[in-house]
Amino acid sequence: MAAETHLQGVEISAAQFFEIWNHYDSDGNGYLDGKELLNFIQELQQARKKAGLELTPEMKAFVDQYGKSTDGKIGIVELAQILPTEENFLLFFRCQQLKSSEDFMQTWRKYDTDHSGYIETEELKSFLKDLLQKANKQIDDSKLTEYTEIMLKMFDSNNDGKLELTEMASLLPVQENFLLQFKSVKMCGKEFNKAFKLYDQDGNGYIDENELDALLKDLCEKNKKDLDINNLATYKKNIMALSDGGKLYRTDLALILSAEQD
């Protein structure tokens, strides 16, 4: 298959990298784990051997870390670190601003100024420009446009021409992407609206830190398999990074907890 053939190359293009990612992320959940990850590792080794190439030091360290276990999990940026891409701009985002979920949420809040729940093309271009500057990478406008288009192609899973919070969070290392823990506890729009009304006890249209604390405690109790109450402080800190001056509005909380935004 084409994706496996690309693994033989000394250097691959951004488009080929994207093809590799889509091939191995067979369930489209935004990361490689279990059989997906083991298949990738096996086929990477076979492809390099067939091409007469040794594994690079990065590849070898990757295989040593993930090749003997079925509980590994990696995201698109971790994969970008080991594949020799001709211009791997994804690695430019591994800067201070995207070091943690909290940093990422604060960055999102800066660019989603209208609380729409997504970043459109021009907003995304500004987002990327700032991140690249922080990574000391200077690029011209045509290259920035190209990067923006590639980002949309890579992360716009529903092809609506804009990126949602969960789509953009693919830039985070898997272990830092706390949004993945909330995927299985999301509510339908009706359930979410009911919950928001319940915990917005003073009816002022937003949830403060204490009200969010109560909501998250109840969620942890109801979803013990997915959420750990010992991580409550981390959940709260990351979610409150979306707030404006300690005010967490309905549309912002819906990015985390609602599968549908009415």
Side-chain angles (χ1 to χ4, degrees), residues 43-197:
E43 289 169 14
L44 172 66
Q45 292 173 307
Q46 291 174 346
R48 299 289 289 189
K49 184 177 181 180
K50 186 175 181 180
L53 298 171
E54 297 289 337
L55 294 179
T56 66
E58 292 82 5
M59 290 177 180
K60 188 175 186 307
F62 182 87
V63 170
D64 289 343
Q65 182 176 357
Y66 295 105
K68 300 176 182 178
S69 173
T70 58
D71 59 359
K73 181 185 293 186
I74 67 163
I76 196 167
V77 178
E78 285 98 333
L79 184 65
Q81 290 180 306
I82 69 161
L83 292 183
T85 308
E86 59 185 6
E87 190 169 8
N88 204 333
F89 75 100
L90 284 174
L91 298 185
F92 300 149
F93 303 138
R94 299 306 293 270
C95 59
Q96 182 65 32
Q97 197 166 359
L98 287 184
K99 190 175 181 181
S100 68
S101 285
E102 183 181 9
D103 294 331
F104 172 79
M105 299 295 229
Q106 290 171 345
T107 301
W108 175 272
R109 169 54 46 242
K110 177 181 177 181
Y111 293 93
D112 182 24
T113 54
D114 58 359
H115 300 262
S116 63
Y118 52 81
I119 292 179
E120 297 181 275
T121 302
E122 288 305 311
E123 294 171 322
L124 176 60
K125 186 180 289 187
S126 296
F127 179 96
L128 297 182
K129 183 177 181 180
D130 286 354
L131 286 180
L132 289 167
Q133 286 177 344
K134 287 180 180 293
N136 296 316
K137 178 68 175 178
Q138 301 298 321
I139 60 173
D140 59 30
D141 193 63
S142 62
K143 182 61 70 172
L144 181 61
T145 298
E146 179 187 338
Y147 284 176
T148 302
E149 291 172 353
I150 293 174
M151 285 290 292
L152 282 170
K153 187 177 180 181
M154 283 188 170
F155 299 121
D156 182 17
S157 58
N158 57 2
N159 298 312
D160 61 0
K162 52 197 177 186
L163 293 183
E164 299 173 3
L165 179 72
T166 51
E167 292 172 330
M168 191 68 119
S170 297
L171 283 171
L172 287 166
V174 168
Q175 65 270 22
E176 281 292 343
N177 189 355
F178 92 108
L179 292 172
L180 293 174
Q181 296 173 274
F182 284 83
K183 286 186 72 171
S184 58
V185 302
K186 281 179 176 280
M187 313 170 192
C188 70
K190 186 176 180 180
E191 290 173 325
F192 172 77
N193 289 334
K194 183 178 179 181
F196 188 90
K197 184 177 180 180

